[in-house]
Amino acid sequence: MRSAFTLVLLAGSVLSAPAGAKEFELGPRPAYLVSQMPESDLKQTLSACVGSPVKRTLFSISHRGAPLQFPEHTEEGYRAAALMGAGMLECDVTFTSDKELVCRHSQNDLHTTTNILATDLAKKCTAGFQPASGGDPASAECRTSDLALAEFKSLRGKMDGADKSAQSVEDYLNGTSPWRTELYGATGTLMTHKESIALFRSLGVKFTPELKAPVVDMPYDGFTQADYAQKLIDEYKEADVPPEEVYPQSFNLDDVLYWIEHEPEFGKQAVYLEGRRDLDPMDPATFSPSMAELKAMGVNYIAPPLYVLLAEEDGMIVPSPYAREARAAGIDIIAWTLERSGPLSSGGGWYYQSVSDVIDGDGRMLEVVDVLAQAVGVKGIFSDWPATTSFYASCMGLE
């Protein structure tokens, strides 16, 4: 491992990274996380891997690019993730007013993830900027469906965030969490879904697009939910991407079932993003369809947040009943999202809520990864900084 993290020295170095690079850059973070671990056999194993070569693995899945430091769903963030060894990259898919598919986490997040409010396109937003007043937070709402594709492409991505106490647009846009950075936020190149396909192919990675729930009423100008789900798949078919390289995702089970029925070669790898998040979800009265029923429907992959897969038992992190039930039903599991919580010194927040009593510092992160990989048996983990999962996967010989 090189001591200097080439990709984050200059945005230009990211843009010049060779397609399908065989050498990967992890930077200092994995070694730092290992150094923070309590003494254990796992720490000794991981310490021996610090500085060793890293391979690309499907276990390491890029979540929105590399948004710990780069604006999410931008070319720069995607290239950074690939250079950190991620084997699969995610374009969250939504659509513009002319029904073109683009990469955004939500149809209505342009006001926090781009510079739209500082441009003339702000006047096209569903709701313009309103300063904080009388106890009400500052607000705005700007949708991809407010813009045609050419207008969308004229925007610049920024680090996601907003200052809800702001009195001005400038202050509102300056809301990045203190544990992230603005160092690489000046060159956020937005992408269409088609452009992401071409880029990911050139980087030698696989694809996991997520069909995002529209905030506009559907059908939208004759564009139905089925049309939307089909168009996502059609753009891979048009690009001659083999179905086995694509893992389409949705929180909407009907989308997943649509792919299973109408595009079975893609549907057999469709990922049902699990929205049922009760910490004890195996009660049949509250957990339907069951894991066995999902498997019978043809669902082969399920993806809940980290905490749903974990439980605490006698001071140890162990698989949850949910995780055991999914494995028993023969459903493969993908977890989300690592490196999205900031420092873990106070329990880890939302993503670690089922094991917060055990989470007392950043060194616990790789323990969580180890339980997910070895005890839960997840196939991959989404991460906002794929260097962490790439390091673990390469050290442990995962694919």
Side-chain angles (χ1 to χ4, degrees), residues 54-75:
V54 174
K55 67 176 183 177
R56 191 183 300 287
T57 70
L58 294 181
F59 182 86
S60 181
I61 306 173
S62 159
H63 181 246
R64 312 189 200 182
L68 184 64
Q69 294 197 28
F70 288 83
E72 65 184 50
H73 293 304
T74 62
E75 179 180 352

Side-chain angles (χ1 to χ4, degrees), residues 1-4 24-31 49-54 387 391:
M1 184 189 304
R2 298 170 187 154
S3 60
F24 302 109
E25 297 281 359
L26 298 185
R29 184 157 178 79
C49 292
V50 172
S52 299
V54 174
F391 167 76

Side-chain angles (χ1 to χ4, degrees), residues 73-349:
H73 293 304
T74 62
E75 179 180 352
E76 294 78 8
Y78 290 142
R79 288 186 180 275
L83 197 52
M84 286 187 271
M88 192 178 304
L89 269 60
E90 176 188 50
C91 166
D92 287 337
V93 176
T94 187
F95 57 86
T96 59
S97 63
D98 43 358
K99 292 171 276 191
E100 294 296 332
L101 303 186
V102 296
C103 299
R104 284 292 92 198
H105 179 65
S106 167
Q107 193 170 46
N108 62 338
D109 71 3
L110 295 182
H111 49 288
T112 64
T113 66
T114 76
N115 65 334
I116 188 170
L117 291 176
T119 74
D120 290 341
L121 290 173
K123 62 181 179 292
K124 301 194 73 171
C125 290
T126 294
F129 172 73
Q130 295 293 325
S133 177
D136 294 328
S139 64
E141 184 182 5
C142 303
R143 302 175 176 179
T144 58
S145 53
D146 291 334
L147 307 178
L149 178 60
E151 293 170 324
F152 171 83
K153 286 285 291 176
S154 73
L155 300 176
R156 174 179 58 78
K158 74 173 192 69
M159 294 298 286
D160 186 19
D163 181 352
K164 298 300 181 64
S165 67
Q167 295 295 307
S168 68
V169 166
E170 181 180 8
D171 288 343
Y172 182 79
L173 294 175
N174 187 25
T176 302
S177 298
W179 43 269
R180 290 178 171 165
T181 179
E182 284 289 351
L183 286 175
Y184 315 110
T187 55
T189 306
L190 302 192
M191 304 198 75
T192 68
H193 180 234
K194 287 182 179 179
E195 288 171 338
S196 79
I197 293 172
L199 175 65
F200 297 178
R201 171 179 273 172
S202 76
L203 294 171
V205 302
K206 294 192 177 184
F207 313 79
T208 184
E210 180 188 340
L211 196 72
K212 302 302 295 190
V215 296
V216 296
D217 292 336
M218 299 292 278
Y220 175 78
D221 190 26
F223 190 54
T224 68
Q225 186 69 26
D227 293 335
Y228 182 29
Q230 186 62 52
K231 184 165 185 171
L232 180 144
I233 298 300
D234 286 345
E235 293 194 348
Y236 289 95
K237 294 166 75 173
E238 291 165 8
D240 292 323
V241 175
E244 61 269 21
E245 295 187 4
V246 184
Y247 294 75
Q249 314 170 67
S250 180
F251 277 102
N252 183 348
L253 181 57
D254 288 341
D255 292 336
V256 174
L257 297 179
Y258 175 89
W259 292 323
I260 291 170
E261 178 181 357
H262 296 278
E263 293 288 351
E265 291 304 304
F266 290 88
K268 65 186 179 184
Q269 294 192 151
V271 180
Y272 177 35
L273 292 162
E274 179 62 270
R276 301 172 293 182
R277 299 172 186 172
D278 191 303
L279 295 183
D280 187 16
M282 293 299 107
D283 181 352
T286 60
F287 198 79
S288 179
S290 69
M291 294 295 184
E293 289 168 337
L294 286 172
K295 183 65 175 179
M297 294 175 187
V299 176
N300 293 319
Y301 290 87
I302 198 166
L306 300 176
Y307 75 85
V308 172
L309 297 169
L310 303 173
E312 184 269 329
E313 189 175 287
D314 297 327
M316 303 291 290
I317 302 172
V318 298
S320 69
Y322 176 108
R324 295 195 297 269
E325 190 85 3
R327 288 295 303 276
I331 297 178
D332 288 327
I333 306 169
I334 297 170
W336 50 271
T337 301
L338 206 69
E339 296 282 22
R340 195 160 182 82
S341 303
L344 303 186
S345 55
S346 58

Side-chain angles (χ1 to χ4, degrees), residues 1-3 25-38 42-43 45-52 54 339 362-363 365-366 385 387-392 395:
M1 184 189 304
R2 298 170 187 154
S3 60
E25 297 281 359
L26 298 185
R29 184 157 178 79
Y32 164 76
L33 293 174
V34 172
S35 75
Q36 298 301 300
M37 296 176 68
L42 177 62
K43 181 175 183 177
T45 298
L46 295 176
S47 295
C49 292
V50 172
S52 299
V54 174
E339 296 282 22
D362 289 347
M365 190 180 302
L366 288 168
W385 199 243
T388 302
T389 43
S390 294
F391 167 76
Y392 176 87
C395 184

